Amino acid sequence: MKTMKKTVMCSLLAIALLGMGGCSSMSTRDRNTAIGAGVGALGGAVLTNGSALGTIGGAAVGGIIGNQVNTKKR
């Protein structure tokens, strides 16, 4: 059972990373939002043992944080 969860999580992470390859035409803010949502979803899933609500909540929080990150160089 543990091996199955680990395999599923690694597969989802790989899919998310491959999907990010299509983000070349996105703005920096859009890219940060997508990355934040992906990382948040993964974190939410890990912290709640794969709960759908935890995954969705993590994605929402991560997306908001990613959207608000200031990337201007000084």
Side-chain angles (χ1 to χ4, degrees):
M1 185 71 160
K2 236 180 187 181
T3 305
M4 176 98 167
K5 280 187 179 181
K6 190 174 182 179
T7 302
V8 169
M9 293 306 291
C10 288
S11 298
L12 290 174
L13 180 61
I15 290 168
L17 290 175
L18 289 172
M20 295 291 173
C23 298
S24 62
S25 64
M26 294 175 107
S27 70
T28 302
R29 176 165 275 183
D30 291 342
R31 194 169 28 253
N32 288 344
T33 301
I35 292 169
V39 171
L42 183 62
V46 168
L47 291 174
T48 61
N49 293 323
S51 162
L53 186 59
T55 304
I56 292 168
V61 171
I64 291 168
I65 292 171
N67 184 269
Q68 296 302 310
V69 170
N70 187 355
T71 58
K72 291 182 182 178
K73 295 185 179 182
R74 297 178 191 184

